[in-house]
Amino acid sequence: MRLLPTAIAASSLLAGIVTATLPNKGTFTYDEHSFLLNGKPYQILGGQMDPQRIPPEYWRQRLQMAKAMGLNTILSYIFWDSIEPVRGQFNFKGRNDLAHFFDLANKEGLKVVIRPGPYICGEHEWGGLPWWLSNIDNMAIRQDNAAFYNASKAYIDRLGHELRRFQISHGGPIIMTQLENEYGSFGSDKKYLQAQAGLLRNNFDTPIYTTDGGGVDYLKGGTLSGVLAAVDGFDPIPAFEARQEYLKTDPTVGGPLMHGEFYTSWLDLWDSDYPHSTPTYAWSGIPAMVDSLDKVVKGNNSFGLYMFHGGTNFGFEGGSTNSGKQGSVTSSYDYGAPLDESGRVTELYSAIRKMLVANLPAGSVPEVPATPPMLAVPKFELKPVSSLFDVRVDKPTLHADQPVTMEALDQATGFILYQHTATEDATGAVHAGDHARDRIIILVNGVRAGIQDTAQVPLKTVNVTLKQGDVLQLLVENIGRVDHTHEMKEQRKGIVGAIKVGDKALTGWDMFSLPLKDISAESIADDNGPPNIKEQNGPVFYTGSFDVPKGVKIGMAADTYLSFPAGVKGQLWVNGINLGKLWHIGPQQSLFVPGAWLKTGKNEVVLLELEPTADTKLVGEGITTRQWFNQPSQDN
C-alpha cells in the first residue's frame, strides 16, 4: 500500500523518460509509480554523504556503515569550488577524488545519486560556488546569464569527463543526477534551469530530477517541465501532498514519490545561544522521526536521509547563513546524523536500522562492522612562538589609497590585514566600509581596541583615538560566504568602501593577504623568539605536540577530539592539515582529528589564537566523547 496515490493523467509524457544505455550495461528509468533498475522496481533507500567532507582513508568504512544500516543508495553533493579553486585549474585529488569514491560505492553494492550543482547550498562556502566568479565581468549567479553559463559549463563538462564511466549505463553506480538545488526557494528563471538541464544531459545519460521544499510555491519556481520533481523537509506527508497538488499544474514533473532530503536534524552555527542540533532538537524525538520514515518505506516511496553522515567542514570550507544577522557554520558537520562525525553509530542509526531490517527481506542487511574506541590524548601544553603579523607579513600585497576586497587580491578565504599609519590626529568610531565582511579585529599600535562582527546586531561601536604616527590595523576574517543567496556583490569579502574614523575617511593603506595555507611549526618560527603577549594583543601562533602510542593502529583507533578549553577563537592545524575553526562560544567545543592523518609518535599542533591575553595558557587534550555546550562571548 502506498503512502499517497501517484496517478498521473499525462502518463504518456512519462513513458519517454528513459536512459541511454550501452549493450549489456545497466539501465535506470522510472514510470508513474516506481523507479526501475534494469527494468525492475527499485526503491531508493538513500543517505546523504559528501565525500569531500570525509578523509578518503575512511570512505570505504563509511559506505559499509551505510549498507549495514539498510541503505542501498548514497546521495552526494559535489563542491565546485573545491574542484576548481582557481578558474580553469581542476583538482580531482585527495578528497576530490570522486572517481575513487564512486568506484568504492560500486564495489560495496551501493547506487549513487549525484548532486553537482553548480549551486548546492549544503552549508558549504557560498553553496559550492567558487569565489572567483566575483571577478568575472557581467556575472550574475543562478540566472539566465552568459557569464555564469560559460563558467558552469566548463565545470560540468569536466565533471562529466571524469565521471562518465561511473554511470549505470557504463556499469557504474550513478543512477540519477540532480538539477541545481532547491531553486524554488530562490527564483523561478526557467531559461536558467533549461540551460543547466542541457549541460547535465550533454554530460550524463542518467535521469535528472529537481529537489525543492515541500510547498506548491517552491515547486512552482524550482521545477522544470519534463524533469522529475522530488521534495524535501522534515515531514514527508505534506511535502508529498504538495507535489501531488502541483501535478495538476504540470503533470510532466510526476513520477515516483521521493523525499530527497529527509532531515534527520539541522545545522550548527557558532553562537552563544545556539544549541547543538540533535534528532530530539529537530523532531519530537527519535521514535517520531523513525515512525515517519517507516511510513515512507511502507508506502514504497523513496528517500534520502539528510544527513546519513555529515563529516567535517575542514579548513575554511564552512559557509555562513544570513537571517537578519550572519552566522558562521561550525567546523563540525555532525548534523545529529545517524553516523556521527567520527563514523561511529548513534542511537538514531540503531533505531533506523531496526526499522529498515523489519521492512527488508530477511538476511539482506549485513551486520554492522565493528569500530575501535577513540584515542584519549593526555593534556599537552602549547607555547606562543610568533605573532601572525610578524611572521606572515613581509611586505604588503598591495598599497593603495583605498582598501580593496579579498577577491581583488586573488584570495579565496582566510584573512586580510589592512594597515594605515596616521598622518594626522583622528578620533571616533571606526566604520569599515559598508559593513563588516565578516569579522574585524581592530588594533591600534598592536593593542586590540575592539571587534566588529556581522553576527552582532546592531554592529558594535568601536571607538579609537589616533595620533600622528599611530598604526591602525583591521584584521578582517572571512567567516564563510553565505550559502543560500542569489546575491553576488554581497559575497565579496574584506573591506568594501572607505574606512573612516569618525567622519574622516582615511587614505593610504597597506593590504596583506593572509590565506594561511601550508602552516607548520617550521613555517611560523620567528628568529626574534616568542612574542611578549603582555605588550601585544594581536593574533599569536602557538605550537605543541602529542604522541600516538606505538600500540595504537593508525586509522580510526587513533581518532580523537582535540579540545583547548582556554582558547577564545582560532584555527587549528595538525601535521600541517587545516582541521578547521575553534570558538569558545560553541556549541562545538572540540575538533575532530582523523586518526588516518596522524602518525605513530610525535604529531605537530599549530593553533592560531586570534584573541590572546597576557594570561592565556593553552592546554590541549584529546577526548573520546564529544561535549557540546555554549558559553557567552568574550569579545570586547
Side-chain angles (χ1 to χ4, degrees):
M1 180 177 180
R2 297 182 59 81
L3 178 61
L4 286 172
T6 56
I8 299 168
S11 59
S12 60
L13 292 171
L14 291 172
I17 302 176
V18 297
T19 312
T21 63
L22 297 178
N24 302 318
K25 302 298 182 180
T27 65
F28 191 77
T29 62
Y30 62 88
D31 60 21
E32 298 176 21
H33 303 290
S34 302
F35 292 111
L36 304 169
L37 177 62
N38 300 323
K40 297 180 180 179
Y42 182 83
Q43 184 179 16
I44 295 175
L45 309 176
Q48 182 87 14
M49 184 164 60
D50 306 327
Q52 291 158 291
R53 298 191 209 259
I54 308 166
E57 296 87 345
Y58 292 160
W59 284 349
R60 185 158 218 155
Q61 185 267 348
R62 303 310 197 247
L63 292 166
Q64 291 172 344
M65 298 300 284
K67 191 170 183 179
M69 198 180 76
L71 303 183
N72 60 17
T73 306
I74 298 298
L75 294 86
S76 295
Y77 278 142
I78 297 174
F79 305 151
W80 177 11
D81 64 321
S82 297
I83 287 174
E84 194 178 4
V86 177
R87 190 179 187 188
Q89 298 180 19
F90 295 90
N91 173 20
F92 287 95
K93 297 179 180 179
R95 287 185 286 124
N96 294 329
D97 190 357
L98 302 173
H100 180 47
F101 180 80
F102 295 141
D103 182 52
L104 289 174
N106 205 28
K107 290 176 179 176
E108 294 298 330
L110 292 162
K111 301 307 178 188
V112 171
V113 173
I114 58 172
R115 311 176 74 190
Y119 164 86
I120 55 90
C121 189
E123 289 70 64
H124 185 78
E125 157 82 3
W126 208 7
L129 299 178
W131 66 275
W132 47 260
L133 291 176
S134 294
N135 286 342
I136 299 176
D137 291 340
N138 302 312
M139 174 62 65
I141 62 172
R142 303 184 70 195
Q143 54 191 284
D144 183 29
N145 171 266
F148 188 72
Y149 174 83
N150 291 334
S152 56
K153 181 180 187 302
Y155 157 63
I156 295 295
D157 286 352
R158 181 58 187 272
L159 194 65
H161 173 76
E162 295 290 331
L163 299 184
R164 189 166 291 118
R165 68 189 186 278
F166 294 99
Q167 297 179 89
I168 185 73
S169 58
H170 293 249
I174 299 175
I175 57 175
M176 282 208 304
T177 305
Q178 182 177 286
L179 168 62
E180 239 270 355
N181 187 73
E182 298 178 320
Y183 188 69
S185 297
F186 304 95
S188 58
D189 189 336
K190 302 300 181 178
K191 290 182 66 177
Y192 165 68
L193 288 178
Q194 189 66 57
Q196 291 296 325
L199 293 180
L200 294 180
R201 288 176 175 134
N202 287 341
N203 288 281
F204 301 98
D205 51 28
T206 67
I208 62 175
Y209 75 105
T210 58
T211 299
D212 285 288
V216 171
D217 287 342
Y218 295 128
L219 292 162
K220 181 179 179 181
T223 55
L224 184 66
S225 290
V227 175
L228 175 68
V231 287
D232 65 17
F234 282 105
D235 190 344
I237 294 177
F240 284 162
E241 290 174 344
R243 210 288 299 256
Q244 297 306 97
E245 178 66 24
Y246 186 69
L247 292 187
K248 298 174 183 177
T249 301
D250 186 355
T252 72
V253 304
L257 287 168
M258 178 172 171
H259 203 248
E261 290 187 12
F262 185 104
Y263 298 156
T264 59
S265 187
W266 198 241
L267 59 101
D268 285 333
L269 297 176
W270 298 112
D271 195 290
S272 295
D273 300 315
Y274 205 97
H276 169 55
S277 294
T278 65
T280 301
Y281 167 77
W283 292 73
S284 58
I286 289 176
M289 179 195 301
V290 175
D291 179 66
S292 180
L293 189 61
D294 183 50
K295 292 176 182 176
V296 175
V297 175
K298 283 184 167 59
N300 198 35
N301 301 299
S302 293
F303 67 84
L305 297 175
Y306 195 94
M307 300 289 294
F308 161 69
H309 172 58
T312 308
N313 293 314
F314 293 111
F316 299 109
E317 295 170 9
S320 65
T321 66
N322 196 336
S323 55
K325 66 177 184 178
Q326 189 167 348
S328 180
V329 177
T330 57
S331 300
S332 171
Y333 203 62
D334 180 270
Y335 216 88
L339 201 67
D340 74 11
E341 187 180 0
S342 75
R344 272 92 177 164
V345 302
T346 65
E347 181 184 355
L348 178 60
Y349 180 102
S350 300
I352 293 177
R353 184 179 189 275
K354 181 178 179 181
M355 179 273 293
L356 289 175
V357 166
N359 280 284
L360 295 172
S364 62
V365 180
E367 293 299 316
V368 180
T371 53
M374 299 184 73
L375 176 68
V377 175
K379 292 181 180 180
F380 60 96
E381 188 175 358
L382 284 80
K383 297 287 189 180
V385 295
S386 56
S387 160
L388 169 65
F389 299 156
D390 290 342
V391 173
R392 301 303 298 180
V393 176
D394 183 11
K395 58 182 180 179
T397 308
L398 178 70
H399 176 84
D401 282 344
Q402 297 297 331
V404 302
T405 64
M406 182 174 282
E407 291 76 13
L409 296 179
D410 286 328
Q411 182 181 341
T413 55
F415 301 79
I416 294 181
L417 175 63
Y418 297 87
Q419 185 167 294
H420 168 80
T421 301
T423 57
E424 56 182 328
D425 295 354
T427 300
V430 177
H431 300 276
D434 56 359
H435 61 81
R437 298 187 181 207
D438 302 302
R439 181 177 172 84
I440 306 175
I441 300 176
I442 301 169
L443 305 102
V444 177
N445 297 329
V447 177
R448 192 163 63 246
I451 294 172
Q452 292 186 330
D453 190 325
T454 47
Q456 303 160 348
V457 178
L459 199 66
K460 285 187 177 179
T461 299
V462 177
N463 293 300
V464 299
T465 297
L466 299 179
K467 300 295 184 182
Q468 185 175 355
D470 285 347
V471 176
L472 174 65
Q473 295 172 309
L474 282 73
L475 180 67
V476 184
E477 176 185 2
N478 168 14
I479 69 169
R481 293 174 179 85
V482 175
D483 73 318
H484 58 280
T485 181
H486 255 138
E487 289 292 331
M488 185 175 68
K489 64 181 181 179
E490 292 300 317
Q491 298 312 305
R492 292 185 175 92
K493 297 303 180 182
I495 301 293
V496 179
I499 299 175
K500 298 180 180 180
V501 172
D503 294 328
K504 185 176 295 185
L506 306 181
T507 59
W509 290 92
D510 288 329
M511 286 155 275
F512 302 87
S513 181
L514 301 169
L516 299 188
K517 297 179 180 178
D518 304 320
I519 299 296
S520 66
E522 182 179 0
S523 71
I524 59 170
D526 189 344
D527 294 338
N528 297 319
N532 185 347
I533 301 180
K534 291 182 180 179
E535 299 175 0
Q536 192 270 102
N537 287 331
V540 170
F541 284 110
Y542 291 73
T543 63
S545 65
F546 64 90
D547 288 341
V548 174
K550 289 184 178 180
V552 175
K553 183 179 180 181
I554 294 303
M556 289 188 69
D559 289 349
T560 193
Y561 294 112
L562 278 186
S563 173
F564 303 88
V568 177
K569 191 176 194 300
Q571 201 80 22
L572 180 71
W573 292 261
V574 174
N575 294 334
I577 300 173
N578 191 340
L579 294 182
K581 303 173 184 176
L582 286 162
W583 201 353
H584 76 285
I585 60 175
Q588 180 181 351
Q589 302 289 341
S590 56
L591 271 178
F592 173 57
V593 182
W597 293 349
L598 300 180
K599 53 190 176 183
T600 301
K602 183 179 178 180
N603 290 268
E604 176 188 272
V605 176
V606 175
L607 177 61
L608 174 63
E609 173 55 66
L610 293 169
E611 303 174 38
T613 62
D615 58 355
T616 295
K617 304 292 184 184
L618 289 180
V619 175
E621 181 181 13
I623 59 177
T624 60
T625 301
R626 168 167 267 164
Q627 299 172 351
W628 302 91
F629 58 92
N630 298 85
Q631 300 180 116
S633 174
Q634 296 178 19
D635 293 346
N636 58 355

